[in-house]
Amino acid sequence: MPADQQLAKSLKPRHLSMIAIAGVIGAGLFVGSGAAIQQAGPGILLAYMAAGVVVILVMRMLGEMAAANPETGSFSTYADKALGRWAGFSIGWLYAWFWIIVLGIEATAGAAIMHRWVPGIDQWVWALILMVLLTLTNLVSVKSYGEFEFWFASIKVAAIVLFLLFGAAAILGFVPGVPAPGLSNLIGNGGFLPNGPGAVLAGILVVVFSFFGAEIATIAAGESENPVDAVKKAVKSTVWRILVFYIGSIAIVVTLLPWNDASVAKSPYVAVIELFGIPGAGTIMDIVVLTSVLSCLNSGLYTASRMLFSLSRRGDAPQAWTRISRRGVPAAAVLASTVVGFVTVGMNYIAPDTVFLFLVNTSGAIALFVWLVIASSQLILRKRMGAAGKDLALKMWLFPYLTWLSIVSIVALLIGMVILESTRESLLLSVALAAVVVGVGVWRYRKSAGRPGGGEPPAGEPRESAPEAAPAS
C-alpha cells in the first residue's frame, strides 16, 4: 500500500498504556457495580475475580496473536486466517455494531450529567454536542484521539488511586471519624454469601461485561511506532489493572459499607466518599463518570471506525471506507461510524423503551462471542505457528490447557445467560443477529469455506502476509 494510504503511526507508548487502562475502567465500574453488589453481597468479589481471570486469559491469547502479527483489524483478521473468511467477516461486523450501540448509550449518559449541570440546555442537545466534539477529535488525527484518551484515562486512574488510598486508610482506622470496620461488613448482614452461591454465578454475568474493552489496545497498537512492544506491555499490565482497579476498589466498598445499604445500590463510590466526609461527593463522582463516558465515546468511535476500515480493506465493507486522510486517519470509516452512532442516539430519545432497547439487546452477548472467537483462533494459529517453528514474542500460558479452559468458561457463561431470566432475551437477540451476520458471511464465502484460512480475499484485496514474530522475551 502506498505511504499516503497508510494509517498514521503516531500513537506513543504512553498513549497505548492509557488506552489499555481506559478500556477496562468504565462507567460500569463506578455506577453499575452497585447493582452487582446488591445481587451477591460481599461474595461479588468472587464474581469479579472469576470474570477477571477469563479476561486475563483472553487478553493473553489475543496478545500472543497481536504480537506475532499486529493488525488494525485485530481478532477479526485472526479469525479470518484461523477459522475462515466468513468468521472474520462476521465477528468484525458484530464488534463494530457493539461499539456503535455503545455510542448511543454513552452519549445519552454524558448528556444526562451535562443537563443536570446546565438544565437550560435540553439533554438531546448535549448528546449532539458530545458526539460532534468527539467525532472531530477522531477526524483530526489518531494522535488527537490518543491525547484525549491519555488525559481521560489519567483522570480515571487518579480518581481510583485516591479512592484506594483513602479506602485502605479507613479500613486500617487512619481516617478521623470513620471507625475501622474489621470484617463486620464482610461476614455480617447474612454472611459473605448472603444470597447463596447462585447469586455469585449470576453476578459473574453482570460484571463480565464491565471488562470488555481491554482488547482496544491491540487494535490501537497497529497505529503505534512499535506495535509488538506496545502489545506486550498492554497485555502484561492487564493482570495488575484488574486486580488493583476493579477487585481492589470493590473490596474497599464491601468492607467499609454494608452490602445491603440503599446508598450502595444507588452509587457505591459516592457512598464511600460521603463516608469519608468529603463535601460534594455526588459532584465529584459526576465528574469522574462524565470523564469515563467521554473516554468510552472516544474509544467507541475509534474502535468501530478501525474495524470498519479493516473490513473494507479485506473487501467485507464498502471500498470507500478505505480512504485515508492526509493526516493518516480513515475519515470515511469514522464518518460511517458516526452516522449510525447519531441514529442510535436519536433512537434513545425517540423510542428509548422500544427501538433503542431492542438495539441494545442485540449487542448484549457480543462480548462473549468475541472472546470465544479469540480463544478459538489462538488455538488454531498457535498450532500452525508451532508447526512452522516460529518463535513468539508473547506466549499463552500452559497452552493448550488454559485455552481450552477459557473456551469452556465462555460457553458456560453463554449457557448461564440462557438460564438467567434477566439476560435470556439479550442473548437470544444477540444470537439472532449473529446468525444473520454469520449466514451472510458463509453465503459470501461459501466457495472458500473448506480451505485453510478460508481462502483468499476478493480480487483487488490481497491478504497481508504476517510479519515474522519477534524473539520471545
Side-chain angles (χ1 to χ4, degrees), residues 228-251:
V228 175
D229 284 348
V231 165
K232 288 165 63 178
K233 290 177 181 177
V235 170
K236 288 180 178 179
S237 62
T238 299
V239 177
W240 67 261
R241 287 201 306 271
I242 288 176
L243 289 176
V244 174
F245 293 141
Y246 265 91
I247 298 174
S249 59
I250 294 296

Side-chain angles (χ1 to χ4, degrees), residues 86 136 147 165 204 237 267 273 282 299 358 362 377 407 456:
W86 65 271
L136 293 175
E147 284 296 330
L165 292 174
I204 294 175
S237 62
S267 181
I273 294 173
S299 287
F358 173 82
T362 62
S377 299
I407 291 172
E456 293 302 313

Side-chain angles (χ1 to χ4, degrees), residues 11 65 77 139 143 199 255 286 314 345 390 436 445 448 462:
L11 290 178
M65 295 184 289
T77 58
L139 283 173
K143 187 176 181 179
T255 302
D286 268 351
R314 287 175 275 149
V345 172
K390 285 188 177 182
V436 171
Y445 294 109
S448 61

Side-chain angles (χ1 to χ4, degrees), residues 341-357 359:
F342 277 120
V343 171
T344 60
V345 172
M347 287 297 100
N348 201 1
Y349 289 101
I350 297 171
D353 298 324
T354 52
V355 179
F356 185 72
L357 183 61
L359 295 178

